[in-house]
Amino acid sequence: MTYEINQDIQEIIRRIGRDNINFKDKTILVTGGAGFLGSWMCDVLVTQGANCICVDNLSSGRYENISHLKGKSNFKFINHDIATPIYFGESSNPNALSVPEIEKIDIVMHLASRASPFEFKIYPIQILKSNTLGTWIALGIAKIHNALFFFTSTSEVYGNPPPEKIPTPETYYGNVNPIGPRGCYDEAKRAGEAYVKAYELQHEIKTKIVRIFNTSGPRIRHGFEYGRVVPNFINQALNDEDITVFGDGSQTRSFTYVVDEIEGFLKIVGKENTLGEVINLGNDKQFTILELAEIIIELTGSNSKITFKPLPKDDPLRRSPDLTKAKRLLNWEPTTSLRQGLTKTIAWFKSNGK
Ligand SMILES: NC(=O)c1ccc[n+]([C@@H]2O[C@H](COP(=O)([O-])OP(=O)(O)OC[C@H]3O[C@@H](n4cnc5c(N)ncnc54)[C@H](O)[C@@H]3O)[C@@H](O)[C@H]2O)c1
């Protein structure tokens, strides 16, 4: 199978089109737009005729994800760290990057953050800053422009929920270790959500928050060092290397294909009834990590063997979203099966380097 990303972009546009969601002529800032999810967002927005401004410091993102958009009149890339000031329009702050030619922003989508467990060890300060200072700066842009603000939070705000909180509803407050190895990410996202709510309360900014559950697909960053389970297993399988499962592999995860997730993001952003809401988006069908490894071995036709390593500290044992709210407000649910999503992702890996 060869993989054509444009078909998936068109599929997202078709799906949101059923709800008349169209961002044509809106000016939209996407922080983290050169990353996995951000670049899909930029692709849909540019295709729909929005003016898309991508701010990214290329820390975990790749310029190749957006290089095909270069030269389009409705796309602009700015290489910048969102944890440091940036102004759209005239700025009197000499320490801020000023982008005077963009005078009005309608929507700010804040996605910028390193997000893989491997990076938690190496860049914990940058991760904290992207989600706290970066969220604060992005909210400031929304405030100045009276723009809608969309924040990409994470299922990790729930930490390690007790069995009775699986699937996890948005009303669950979380069980998070602030000083553990995942604290920099989990607590930064929790603080990011608190910033969003503070701006909504104090400055009457229109806000929406999505809590994303494990999502993968073409363009997800790969390489074993990156530390996300789906790209790691695919890489190992394509190279006939041992597939390393942490623990005994009985821990579960739910896996969402990028098309379903981006459709959900754009429905949250585009619909009126989601104002001020925080919404889980993911797949509620759980698979054990061992099942995932076996399916990937089968789909790649790999000779890899499965090996086991100790479970990392504070790794959540079960993860599954309660999607009641997403179904009610968005009329959304994931429709791509794990096998369908993996088949496309594997095809993309094969043609874009293992
Ligand atoms: N993919 C998932 O399963 C998942 C799950 C939960 C939450 N999220 C969230 O979704 C967002 C996007 O994640 P992704 O999977 O696309 O990851 P990614 O690493 O591919 O994308 C993140 C992007 O943000 C950029 N970035 C990081 N720090 C920045 C900074 N300070 N200034 C400017 N740019 C910066 C990176 O260069 C990269 O392009 C992140 O906020 C992440 O926490 C993703």
Side-chain angles (χ1 to χ4, degrees):
M1 177 196 175
T2 54
Y3 176 71
E4 266 301 326
I5 204 160
N6 281 339
Q7 288 175 2
D8 270 349
I9 300 291
Q10 291 302 334
E11 171 65 16
I12 296 169
I13 290 175
R14 251 193 313 278
R15 290 188 194 178
I16 62 174
R18 288 182 207 130
D19 283 345
N20 295 321
I21 294 172
N22 194 321
F23 297 96
K24 186 169 169 12
D25 296 333
K26 297 271 186 235
T27 300
I28 303 178
L29 169 62
V30 182
T31 76
F36 162 48
L37 296 173
S39 63
W40 277 79
M41 203 70 139
C42 291
D43 263 324
V44 173
L45 296 173
V46 168
T47 308
Q48 275 204 329
N51 297 308
C52 178
I53 308 152
C54 164
V55 169
D56 199 298
N57 65 357
L58 300 180
S59 53
S60 58
R62 301 187 321 151
Y63 186 67
E64 295 91 304
N65 288 341
I66 48 159
S67 55
H68 58 287
L69 299 174
K70 191 179 167 210
K72 291 201 184 274
S73 59
N74 62 338
F75 181 74
K76 185 176 181 68
F77 171 64
I78 301 171
N79 188 337
H80 178 77
D81 180 348
I82 193 64
T84 60
I86 177 168
Y87 279 84
F88 294 91
E90 291 301 334
S91 158
S92 53
N93 178 350
N95 298 319
L97 176 67
S98 171
V99 190
E101 67 276 17
I102 295 169
E103 291 169 353
K104 178 80 184 91
I105 290 179
D106 299 300
I107 302 172
V108 176
M109 299 181 176
H110 183 38
L111 281 78
S113 171
R114 293 176 179 270
S116 88
F118 162 78
E119 293 172 305
F120 301 171
K121 286 183 237 140
I122 303 174
Y123 304 107
I125 297 170
Q126 285 86 343
I127 290 170
L128 276 158
K129 285 169 81 174
S130 300
N131 290 294
T132 56
L133 292 178
T135 305
W136 173 61
I137 286 171
L139 279 161
I141 296 167
K143 177 178 170 237
I144 290 169
H145 292 264
N146 196 20
L148 173 69
F149 189 84
F150 173 69
F151 180 56
T152 52
S153 185
T154 171
S155 56
E156 302 305 319
V157 299
Y158 300 126
N160 213 341
E164 68 273 16
K165 292 293 177 193
I166 302 283
T168 312
E170 290 86 349
T171 47
Y172 178 60
Y173 290 170
N175 173 27
V176 177
N177 177 2
I179 55 168
R182 308 175 73 92
C184 65
Y185 185 68
D186 303 4
E187 294 293 4
K189 288 288 187 187
R190 289 168 68 91
E193 290 195 12
Y195 265 108
V196 172
K197 285 291 156 188
Y199 266 70
E200 184 182 83
L201 183 73
Q202 213 171 321
H203 294 304
E204 297 180 358
I205 304 288
K206 292 183 179 139
T207 75
K208 302 177 177 194
I209 298 173
V210 61
R211 290 186 182 147
I212 306 169
F213 286 66
N214 205 328
T215 301
S216 53
R219 291 195 185 148
I220 192 155
R221 193 160 149 213
H222 46 96
F224 181 66
E225 76 291 354
Y226 197 49
R228 281 176 174 176
V229 64
V230 170
N232 275 359
F233 283 6
I234 295 178
N235 256 334
Q236 290 171 325
L238 290 177
N239 290 310
D240 283 336
E241 293 165 3
D242 286 350
I243 293 196
T244 30
V245 165
F246 293 111
D248 62 2
S250 63
Q251 69 274 35
T252 65
R253 291 291 183 276
S254 56
F255 302 100
T256 320
Y257 185 59
V258 59
V259 166
D260 293 338
E261 193 73 25
I262 298 289
E263 173 200 352
F265 284 9
L266 293 167
K267 284 188 168 171
I268 293 177
V269 176
K271 284 173 89 88
E272 296 282 327
N273 62 348
T274 52
L275 215 54
E277 298 289 350
V278 48
I279 302 175
N280 285 341
L281 282 188
N283 200 315
D284 51 4
K285 187 156 177 24
Q286 295 181 57
F287 289 86
T288 68
I289 293 294
L290 204 52
E291 283 172 318
L292 176 73
E294 284 162 354
I295 294 171
I296 289 178
I297 289 175
E298 179 200 319
L299 292 177
T300 49
S302 170
N303 296 314
S304 296
K305 303 273 173 293
I306 296 174
T307 57
F308 297 89
K309 281 194 171 175
L311 202 62
K313 186 172 180 323
D314 289 346
D315 211 35
L317 292 178
R318 293 178 76 201
R319 193 42 93 238
S320 178
D322 182 328
L323 297 176
T324 311
K325 194 170 180 183
K327 287 177 185 164
R328 177 169 51 84
L329 292 180
L330 309 175
N331 192 20
W332 174 94
E333 60 185 319
T335 52
T336 313
S337 72
L338 177 62
R339 280 172 184 272
Q340 286 168 332
L342 285 174
T343 302
K344 289 185 178 187
T345 311
I346 290 165
W348 181 82
F349 266 64
K350 281 184 177 166
S351 50
N352 288 272
K354 303 178 202 170

